[in-house]
Amino acid sequence: MVRIRLQRFGKKKQPFYRIVCADARSPRDGKFIEIIGYWEPKRKVFKIDFEKYNEWIKRGAQPTDIVESLIKNFKQQKIENTERTN
């Protein structure tokens, strides 16, 4: 089974995460299939390629709870920002 999950990078107390598609049996920072985005919690930067994300979901990949909540929050922020500009 393929999972869409976070892969940790960065220094101590300065995390940086890649959003990757990986086999569920591989370790957190181990082998992955494809990088589809990244998240920097300290700078509050979140970027994901939604085309690739939707493609993997259609193929049967399961997002982890954290990735799912990040995407949900990002979509809400995007909607709020478009409402403010209009």
Side-chain angles (χ1 to χ4, degrees):
M1 174 192 285
V2 176
R3 302 280 291 180
I4 300 172
R5 64 180 181 202
L6 299 176
Q7 187 177 38
R8 191 182 195 283
F9 286 90
K11 298 189 283 187
K12 185 167 80 170
K13 309 246 183 192
Q14 294 180 348
F16 172 86
Y17 298 93
R18 284 183 183 166
I19 301 167
V20 298
C21 297
D23 190 342
R25 296 169 291 185
S26 64
R28 178 191 73 181
D29 296 335
K31 194 171 151 183
F32 60 88
I33 301 167
E34 184 176 19
I35 300 170
I36 61 172
Y38 63 89
W39 176 45
E40 292 182 59
K42 292 281 186 178
R43 292 179 37 199
K44 298 181 181 171
V45 175
F46 178 76
K47 185 171 181 180
I48 188 165
D49 185 347
F50 280 107
E51 291 178 16
K52 289 182 182 180
Y53 175 78
N54 290 329
E55 181 181 321
W56 278 104
I57 294 293
K58 286 178 187 173
R59 289 186 193 176
Q62 298 276 324
T64 59
D65 295 337
I66 294 173
V67 170
E68 208 166 24
S69 67
L70 282 171
I71 290 171
K72 182 180 173 184
N73 291 339
F74 177 71
K75 284 183 180 179
Q76 283 181 339
Q77 287 176 357
K78 197 172 182 183
I79 291 169
E80 289 173 5
N81 288 340
T82 56
E83 288 175 358
R84 287 181 192 164
T85 57
N86 291 335

